[in-house]
Amino acid sequence: MLKIREAKDCKYDLVSLGECMLRLSPPSYGRIEFAPVMEVWVGGGEYNVSYALSRLGLRTGWVGGLNDSPMGRIIMNHARSVGMCISHAPVRKYDGVGKKDRIGLNFTEVGTSKRASATLYDRGHSATAGLKPGDVNWNKLFKEEGVRWLHTGGIFASLSDSTRQVAAEAVKAAHDAGTVVSYDLNFRSKLWSSKEAIATTKPLVPYIDALIGNEEDFQKVLGYEVEGVDVEKGGELDTTAFKKMVERVVKDHPNVKLVGTTLRGVKTALINDWSAILWSEGKFYDGQRFDDLEIEDRVGGGDGFASGFAYGFLTGKSAQECVNLGVAHGALLMSTRGDTSQITLEELRPTAGGGSARIKR
């Protein structure tokens, strides 16, 4: 059974560890190559979860690398606007040219019709990639101040040899303090190989309570094959085969109390079938289905699921309610531009409960 520390004993409900970047996107569905202007958005796989939960009314923090440039201050301002604490995020002096401690960039095109969304990275030599063991006082964060839930994942661990060490340092410290640890496997082939991902992640699993990932993530990051399924192909996957794979994972790692995965059937860049599955205490819970979901921007949908289901567990909801909150939040998040949530709790609750999109007057 998942044991979560009492809110009264902790300063934070959830803290995330990972890189936050600036995203530059052409307006509408434009191409980077031809864009005369770019929209600036803020986001990062782990950061997005803390940001969303802060908007939903929980006490959150984020740990990642920053610098004192205007680019770094964009992220600081964005986090502080929703009340996220960033006091544990190391801030480096910017050298003016980006030889080290940069703020990472990504260039993202929002796809349409049969043209898929696409992201290109410009994140080398970043302040987060340069984080080293000892840069963060984990004892102060987890034991003195208190954190109920730590969220991190494979994107952060993939950035450098030192972030792999920091990830291990953090999950062990959180585990020792009785903090729930969730880990989004989030395989990114542009950042590391499957061999590197497996070698890094397997030693972390004994300290992890909740695993999040799709079929490809479990194969490429933990080495578990989904029998009879080619994870390289798009479209809807056989959930029966996936459930069998999850049963092997939790049998091998009895410390894992939750496993969540999103299910996405891609029809066009803007029309997807969307749902999720949650494993908890020996049972599978199927989330509500959103067939032919209209999407404005799919980036961040998985983080929306992670934050929705974490919100559920942190607020004492049942496993079925938690997976429904995750599915609903991911769906709502993808109705807006940018990586981070623009959704309120008042919008999330009725959608997770099966409400419609009737106009509100």
Side-chain angles (χ1 to χ4, degrees):
M1 182 176 179
L2 188 70
K3 295 181 180 178
I4 304 177
R5 297 174 68 180
E6 293 285 338
K8 63 181 177 60
D9 298 328
C10 297
K11 180 177 179 179
Y12 305 100
D13 294 305
L14 181 142
V15 169
S16 61
L17 168 66
E19 181 161 41
C20 186
M21 296 185 292
L22 299 184
R23 166 182 151 179
L24 304 178
S25 290
S28 188
Y29 309 111
R31 308 303 306 269
I32 294 169
E33 180 182 356
F34 301 103
V37 295
M38 294 276 199
E39 298 172 345
V40 179
W41 301 95
V42 173
E46 300 85 4
Y47 173 95
N48 296 345
V49 173
S50 284
Y51 186 89
L53 290 180
S54 191
R55 283 190 54 82
L56 297 178
L58 298 188
R59 305 162 300 164
T60 74
W62 168 74
V63 179
L66 290 169
N67 65 31
D68 61 358
S69 71
M71 294 77 77
R73 287 193 288 273
I74 291 173
I75 295 172
M76 295 179 201
N77 295 341
H78 187 260
R80 289 168 177 157
S81 71
V82 294
M84 287 172 62
C85 178
I86 55 173
S87 63
H88 289 276
V91 181
R92 310 298 193 197
K93 183 70 177 174
Y94 182 53
D95 63 8
V97 293
K99 291 184 178 180
K100 63 177 182 177
D101 296 326
R102 300 174 57 229
I103 296 300
L105 304 176
N106 74 73
F107 294 84
T108 295
E109 293 180 350
V110 177
T112 185
S113 186
K114 292 298 182 181
R115 177 166 60 83
S117 294
T119 293
L120 304 172
Y121 294 127
D122 180 20
R123 65 196 303 176
H125 313 294
S126 71
T128 298
L131 288 179
K132 296 179 175 56
D135 282 347
V136 179
N137 187 338
W138 301 115
N139 185 69
K140 179 180 179 181
L141 180 60
F142 293 122
K143 292 189 175 179
E144 295 178 21
E145 296 180 342
V147 180
R148 301 175 71 202
W149 191 301
L150 170 71
H151 179 72
T152 189
I155 296 177
F156 174 73
S158 70
L159 296 178
S160 65
D161 288 340
S162 63
T163 60
R164 295 169 203 182
Q165 297 172 50
V166 174
E169 183 183 59
V171 299
K172 290 174 184 176
H175 176 80
D176 291 346
T179 296
V180 171
V181 178
S182 62
Y183 193 94
D184 195 329
L185 298 170
N186 254 342
F187 181 68
R188 297 291 186 270
S189 61
K190 293 177 181 177
L191 299 178
W192 61 355
S193 68
S194 175
K195 182 178 179 181
E196 291 173 305
I198 292 171
T200 299
T201 310
K202 278 202 167 183
L204 303 182
V205 178
Y207 305 97
I208 294 169
D209 302 286
L211 284 170
I212 304 165
N214 60 28
E215 293 83 353
E216 181 186 18
D217 294 329
F218 277 92
Q219 179 172 314
K220 298 294 181 66
V221 181
L222 287 183
Y224 286 88
E225 300 259 345
V226 185
E227 295 178 5
V229 173
D230 183 354
V231 300
E232 299 290 347
K233 293 183 178 179
E236 192 168 353
L237 295 172
D238 181 358
T239 59
T240 301
F242 177 74
K243 289 177 178 179
K244 289 180 180 178
M245 182 272 294
V246 171
E247 288 172 345
R248 297 200 305 274
V249 173
V250 296
K251 182 180 180 181
D252 292 345
H253 305 285
N255 57 288
V256 174
K257 303 298 189 298
L258 304 172
V259 180
T261 186
T262 57
L263 304 172
R264 187 191 295 269
V266 178
K267 296 182 176 180
T268 72
L270 301 179
I271 302 290
N272 289 184
D273 293 336
W274 172 257
S275 188
I277 295 173
L278 176 70
W279 179 91
S280 174
E281 296 187 49
K283 291 180 62 178
F284 285 98
Y285 298 87
D286 294 330
Q288 57 198 136
R289 289 185 60 92
F290 292 101
D291 292 330
D292 296 324
L293 180 68
E294 295 173 292
I295 291 172
E296 174 65 23
D297 182 355
R298 66 168 284 172
V299 178
D303 304 326
F305 166 73
S307 47
F309 101 84
Y311 174 85
F313 282 106
L314 285 164
T315 56
K317 301 296 189 292
S318 69
Q320 185 63 61
E321 290 174 304
C322 291
V323 70
N324 285 346
L325 284 162
V327 172
H329 189 256
L332 288 169
L333 185 149
M334 290 186 290
S335 72
T336 61
R337 292 285 292 226
D339 299 26
T340 51
S341 176
Q342 300 176 25
I343 307 308
T344 66
L345 187 57
E346 290 71 25
E347 293 167 325
L348 175 61
R349 281 174 172 160
T351 305
S356 74
R358 285 178 61 89
I359 188 171
K360 297 176 178 62
R361 299 180 190 270

